[in-house]
Amino acid sequence: MLALGSNLDDREANLRGAVDGLGDVVMAVSGVYETPPWGDPDQPHYLNAVLLAVDPAATPRDWLDRAHRLEDTAGRVRDPERRFGPRTLDVDVIAVWDDDDRPVITDDPELILPHPRAHLRAFVLRPWLDIQPYGQLPGHGWLYELVRAAPVAADLADLRPREDIHLDS
């Protein structure tokens, strides 16, 4: 499961470029939501989406490398002084499952799985519900329960569905 976000330049094109850049491994793409910035409020609003991608040959590290390549292609510049700052494209690896459909759990500093803050982010959980209404975030539970829990429930009011944008077409 990958989460996409963009709040600089042509946000829709940046998200679409990520989906297109992954190609045939993309199985499902959520709706797009406009959201206020998280962690650093002094920046433009984001467009966010989540996608399910499947590649049996890919390791968790492969997914991280793909995410970084997509970000690089979109011209992302990492600002070490501003961790949650604006970006052309952010691609987060949220969760990975192995060939036996077991969640991969890792505390590698370069790739913690599942994503350590996904359970707190309405802009990840709500779009994920679009494509997996009965999905679970490994180690945290059912998505539908997570979106009802504080602080996520309070953040849901700030998510605006963008019905005019479809990334799966």
Side-chain angles (χ1 to χ4, degrees), residues 17-165:
V19 173
D20 293 347
L22 287 166
D24 293 339
V25 301
V26 176
M27 299 294 113
V29 182
S30 75
V32 175
Y33 293 79
E34 188 155 13
T35 64
W38 192 91
D40 182 348
D42 188 25
Q43 58 184 305
H45 279 65
Y46 277 82
L47 288 183
N48 291 99
V50 171
L51 62 83
L52 173 64
V54 176
D55 181 351
T59 66
R61 181 64 198 197
D62 292 334
W63 288 113
L64 182 61
D65 291 344
R66 286 178 183 179
H68 287 164
R69 279 194 303 275
L70 293 168
E71 292 172 345
D72 291 345
T73 299
R76 176 170 176 179
V77 176
R78 295 182 186 277
D79 181 350
E81 302 297 317
R82 202 168 177 195
R83 180 175 179 195
F84 297 112
R87 52 205 62 183
T88 54
L89 182 65
D90 185 38
V91 181
D92 286 334
V93 181
I94 301 300
V96 175
W97 287 264
D98 67 18
D99 292 340
D100 295 322
D101 205 29
R102 291 183 307 238
V104 175
I105 309 294
T106 177
D107 61 358
D108 179 333
E110 289 187 44
L111 180 61
I112 298 171
L113 290 173
H115 190 287
R117 291 172 299 283
H119 68 287
L120 301 172
R121 294 180 170 173
F123 63 84
V124 171
L125 298 172
R126 178 57 191 92
W128 190 350
L129 279 170
D130 286 353
I131 57 176
Q132 286 190 324
Y134 298 104
Q136 293 185 55
L137 177 60
H140 295 280
W142 297 100
L143 300 177
Y144 65 85
E145 290 177 351
L146 293 172
V147 298
R148 291 185 174 130
V152 175
D155 291 343
L156 285 177
D158 294 330
L159 270 68
R160 194 176 111 226
R162 290 293 305 266
E163 296 175 9
D164 59 318
I165 302 173

